[in-house]
Amino acid sequence: MSPQETGEKHNLVIVQAFPANSTLTQGAIRYLEEFFHVYFIDLPGFHPSAQPLDEISLDNYVKYVEDKIESLNLNSYILSGISFGFLVINKVKTDNRCLFIFAIEPYLGYKYITLSIGKRIAIYVVSTLLSKVWHKGWFRNLMCRLMDKTKAVINVVIREMDPRTLIETSKLVLWYNKKLTFQDKPYVLLLNPRCNLIKFDKTLYEFVD
């Protein structure tokens, strides 16, 4: 019998957005726990519990997530990725234990976000200086403006995330431009038309087409 038939909760495996971690998404996790058994995967270098990778790349993030999922030893699960997390989980090798893939505000590449070339270059330049200015007050204020985040969020980023990881991953996010390939799985898309970062129509078209 399925979890729905027995009244049990499905297992939901979630991979974070960029730049985020389980500290920043505690509220969402608590809400989801009312409906699912939630297994939140912090990517390496984004939380003190997950040590940074020696070499930062999308493929290495994918391998890390694959290993973490195997370690959970789940009989069945829903695989979900938030923003950049979707880019990672969409490349994860799945089998019949994965019921479907849940894309939450998915990041598909730089052409699918509203950041101008000027703003992307500005973020790229700032990110390359991170290790030197990581704990400076003015840097926190600048990051608030560039990333449209509150000071509380930026403080968590600076306190809990590895600067090198943030630098290399930001480069990946800012310039990623590979064609999306869907797995042979059902997909569920959660996309807010009022989101001011993701190009709604362009992203929706990829899932509808």
Side-chain angles (χ1 to χ4, degrees), residues 113-127:
I113 56 177
T114 58
L115 289 178
S116 65
I117 182 67
K119 194 164 187 177
R120 284 192 291 123
I121 290 174
I123 293 173
Y124 173 79
V125 171
V126 170
S127 70

Side-chain angles (χ1 to χ4, degrees), residues 9-16 22 25-42 72 74 76-78 80 82 102 104:
K9 297 178 181 179
H10 281 294
N11 297 314
L12 178 65
V13 178
I14 308 179
V15 177
Q16 71 192 50
S22 53
T25 53
Q26 285 180 358
I29 293 172
R30 285 194 294 269
Y31 174 77
L32 289 171
E33 284 176 338
E34 295 182 22
F35 309 98
F36 303 96
H37 295 297
V38 178
Y39 300 87
F40 191 96
I41 297 178
D42 281 303
L72 295 173
L74 302 174
S76 67
Y77 60 88
I78 299 163
S80 178
I82 308 171
F102 188 13
I104 304 175

Side-chain angles (χ1 to χ4, degrees), residues 63-161:
K63 179 63 167 59
Y64 178 87
V65 170
E66 288 175 343
D67 291 344
K68 292 293 287 186
I69 291 174
E70 285 303 311
S71 71
L72 295 173
N73 196 30
L74 302 174
N75 291 326
S76 67
Y77 60 88
I78 299 163
L79 183 56
S80 178
I82 308 171
S83 188
F84 175 71
F86 171 77
L87 196 65
V88 176
I89 61 113
N90 194 53
K91 293 175 71 68
V92 164
K93 294 177 182 177
T94 59
D95 54 30
N96 58 7
R97 293 173 298 170
C98 178
L99 303 176
F100 62 86
I101 294 175
F102 188 13
I104 304 175
E105 302 287 339
Y107 170 78
L108 308 183
Y110 79 83
K111 291 183 178 180
Y112 295 82
I113 56 177
T114 58
L115 289 178
S116 65
I117 182 67
K119 194 164 187 177
R120 284 192 291 123
I121 290 174
I123 293 173
Y124 173 79
V125 171
V126 170
S127 70
T128 60
L129 302 174
L130 281 179
S131 60
K132 296 181 179 179
V133 300
W134 191 243
H135 295 289
K136 303 291 185 181
W138 64 264
F139 169 72
R140 298 183 186 212
N141 293 332
L142 178 61
M143 291 302 288
C144 288
R145 292 197 295 271
L146 286 176
M147 299 175 67
D148 193 26
K149 304 292 184 182
T150 66
K151 285 188 177 181
V153 170
I154 296 301
N155 285 338
V156 172
V157 170
I158 291 173
R159 183 177 67 248
E160 298 191 356
M161 300 184 190

